[in-house]
Amino acid sequence: MLKVGIIGAGGIGRVHASVYQGMPNVKLIAISDIRNEAASSVADEFKIKAFNSADELIDLSEVDIIDVCTPTPIHKEYVIKAAMAGKHVICEKPIARNLDEAQDMVRICKKAGVKFMVAHVVRFFPEYAKIRELIEQGSAGKPAVVRASRSVGVVAGWNNWYSNYELSGGLMLELMIHDFDVLRWYFGDVKRVFATEARQNGTEYALATLRFENGVIAHVEGSRAHFLSFKSALEIAGDGGLIDFDSNAAKPINLCIGKKGDSDKEIAIPSSPTEESPYYKELFSFVNCVEKDLDPPINGVDATKSLKVALAALESAKTGKVVRL
Ligand SMILES: NC(=O)c1ccc[n+]([C@@H]2O[C@H](COP(=O)([O-])OP(=O)(O)OC[C@H]3O[C@@H](n4cnc5c(N)ncnc54)[C@H](O)[C@@H]3O)[C@@H](O)[C@H]2O)c1
C-alpha cells in the first residue's frame, strides 16, 4: 500500500484527492495548503489529515509519494524538497514557470534517485490516446497538417493567479501546453514556432503555428473566451485520410478514409470518454511505476520539452517573430 500526500488544496488538488480515494493500492494520508480552510475542506471530505505547512507533510516518514498541486511558480520548491526527503514526486503541468526551474527539478530528482512525473493528463484521455494509435498504425497515412483547439472560460484560482501572466504565463503556458505536449507525443520535436494572442481582463485568445522536425505543421488555438464551457478538437490530415475529433460531438472520433462515395471504407470509431477517468489513469500510472520500479511515462525531461514549446510561443507572440527551438 503506497501512501500519498498532496500539496495544494485548490481545484486540481481536490480532483487528485478524490481519485486517490478510489485506488485500491493507495492510501491518501494528508493534504496541505497555506490556506487552512482549503486544506481542512478537502481533509474533512476525504477523512484525511490537513496541514498548513507543506514541510510538515513532506517530513512524514510514512508518506511515499508527494503530489504537487500548487500554482505553477510554486512547483519547484516543493518538488525539490520532496525529492530531497526521498519521496517520489508527481507534479501538475506545466512542470515550471521557466526553464531554469524545470532543469533544477529534473537534476535534483535524478540526483535523489526518486521517480518524477509531470501530470500531462491529455495523454490519458482515451480519444487522444486512440488518435496516437491511429497515427502509429498509419490509418490516415503520413500526417501533414494538424488543427488543435482547446477552449474554456476565464479561471481565477488562488489570489487570481491565472490572470497574473507573470505567475501563470497565461493561456499558452497554462492551457495550450496540453496540446503542445500531446502533439509532441505524436510527432516528436518541434523545430519552430510562430504565435499571436489577444488579452483583455483575463479573457485570452491565441493561435500558435508549430513546425515539427518531421515536417508536420500544426495550428494550435486556445481560448479563455468560451465562458462556462469546455471544448477541445483535433483534426489530423494525412496523405491517406483525415482523423477528426470534436469533444462536443456525440461520436467524437471519426476516421475518414477512402474515396468519395466509397462509403464502406469509412470507419467511424466512437470513443467512450467516460470509461475510466483520465485523472485516474494518469495518477495510477505513476503509482504503478513506483510500485513496480518502472520509468514514469512523462518524465521531467519530456515535460521540459513541452514547456520549451510554450515558452517559445509566448516569446513569438511578444516579439512578433518566429522562434526556433
Ligand atoms: N491537468 C489539469 O487538467 C489541470 C487543471 C487545472 C490546473 N492544473 C495545474 O494545477 C496547478 C494548480 O492549479 P489549480 O487550478 O488547482 O489552482 P488553484 O488556484 O485552484 O489552487 C492552488 C492552491 O494552492 C494553494 N497554495 C498557494 N501557494 C501555496 C504554497 N506556497 N504552499 C501550499 N499551497 C499553496 C492555494 O491556497 C490554492 O488552494 C497549476 O500548475 C495548474 O496549471 C492542471
Side-chain angles (χ1 to χ4, degrees):
M1 179 74 68
L2 287 166
K3 302 198 171 127
V4 178
I6 299 175
I7 305 177
I12 203 71
R14 185 179 288 274
V15 171
H16 284 201
S18 80
V19 166
Y20 287 122
Q21 288 288 19
M23 277 185 203
N25 51 345
V26 165
K27 187 164 172 49
L28 180 62
I29 298 286
I31 189 155
S32 82
D33 199 291
I34 45 163
R35 291 182 300 135
N36 276 329
E37 69 284 8
S40 302
S41 159
V42 177
D44 291 350
E45 182 176 347
F46 298 108
K47 314 265 177 296
I48 56 175
K49 286 183 218 152
F51 288 95
N52 182 228
S53 146
D55 293 354
E56 270 182 60
L57 169 56
I58 291 170
D59 284 346
L60 287 181
S61 59
E62 59 184 320
V63 169
D64 305 292
I65 294 175
I66 291 288
D67 182 343
V68 177
C69 293
T70 46
T72 306
I74 309 162
H75 289 176
K76 175 186 160 179
E77 177 188 347
Y78 293 134
V79 166
I80 288 180
K81 279 185 174 166
M84 287 173 65
K87 314 292 183 187
H88 302 290
V89 197
I90 180 161
C91 171
E92 258 308 335
K93 51 49 68 180
I95 178 170
R97 178 62 183 84
N98 62 50
L99 280 183
D100 285 349
E101 290 172 358
Q103 282 158 358
D104 284 352
M105 290 154 80
V106 171
R107 185 173 47 80
I108 287 170
C109 287
K110 190 173 173 201
K111 197 168 162 206
V114 299
K115 298 200 187 293
F116 176 39
M117 173 166 155
V118 179
H120 276 290
V121 73
V122 176
R123 297 195 195 190
F124 298 88
F125 274 73
E127 306 90 338
Y128 285 85
K130 182 71 195 174
I131 289 169
R132 187 168 189 258
E133 263 176 57
L134 293 175
I135 294 168
E136 288 194 337
Q137 289 159 4
S139 305
K142 190 169 177 294
V145 182
V146 174
R147 285 201 308 180
S149 76
R150 192 163 297 274
S151 313
V152 295
V154 175
V155 221
W158 164 75
N159 270 358
N160 224 5
W161 76 274
Y162 277 105
S163 303
N164 180 334
Y165 305 117
E166 287 308 310
L167 296 180
S168 70
L171 186 63
M172 294 198 251
L173 208 75
E174 263 308 312
L175 189 72
M176 290 164 72
I177 197 164
H178 283 300
D179 294 289
F180 299 149
D181 178 72
V182 93
L183 294 177
R184 278 193 48 256
W185 189 45
Y186 294 167
F187 304 120
D189 286 340
V190 173
K191 201 170 172 179
R192 54 181 189 261
V193 179
F194 180 73
T196 185
E197 66 179 336
R199 296 174 172 180
Q200 191 190 36
N201 302 330
T203 308
E204 297 176 77
Y205 188 91
L207 181 66
T209 305
L210 316 182
R211 178 79 179 204
F212 286 80
E213 294 281 0
N214 73 356
V216 166
I217 292 182
H219 288 194
V220 182
E221 182 189 34
S223 161
R224 280 206 197 281
H226 285 68
F227 293 92
L228 299 177
S229 76
F230 170 87
K231 66 174 185 175
S232 71
L234 183 60
E235 209 176 79
I236 298 174
D239 57 9
L242 182 76
I243 301 170
D244 180 17
F245 158 66
D246 177 346
S247 66
N248 282 2
K251 276 195 311 182
I253 301 178
N254 291 293
L255 174 62
C256 312
I257 56 172
K259 292 189 280 301
K260 203 175 170 193
D262 203 353
S263 61
D264 60 324
K265 284 204 186 140
E266 187 176 296
I267 309 166
I269 301 156
S271 73
S272 32
T274 51
E275 223 171 52
E276 200 178 47
S277 151
Y279 293 94
Y280 185 98
K281 282 191 181 166
E282 168 193 73
L283 298 177
F284 187 77
S285 79
F286 185 63
V287 166
N288 192 45
C289 290
V290 172
E291 208 166 46
K292 301 192 177 139
D293 194 18
L294 303 169
D295 290 332
I298 309 157
N299 63 27
V301 173
D302 201 0
T304 302
K305 289 185 178 177
S306 298
L307 174 67
K308 272 187 187 169
V309 177
L311 292 173
L314 270 176
E315 189 187 332
S316 173
K318 199 169 162 191
T319 60
K321 296 199 169 119
V322 172
V323 175
R324 288 170 198 280
L325 278 99

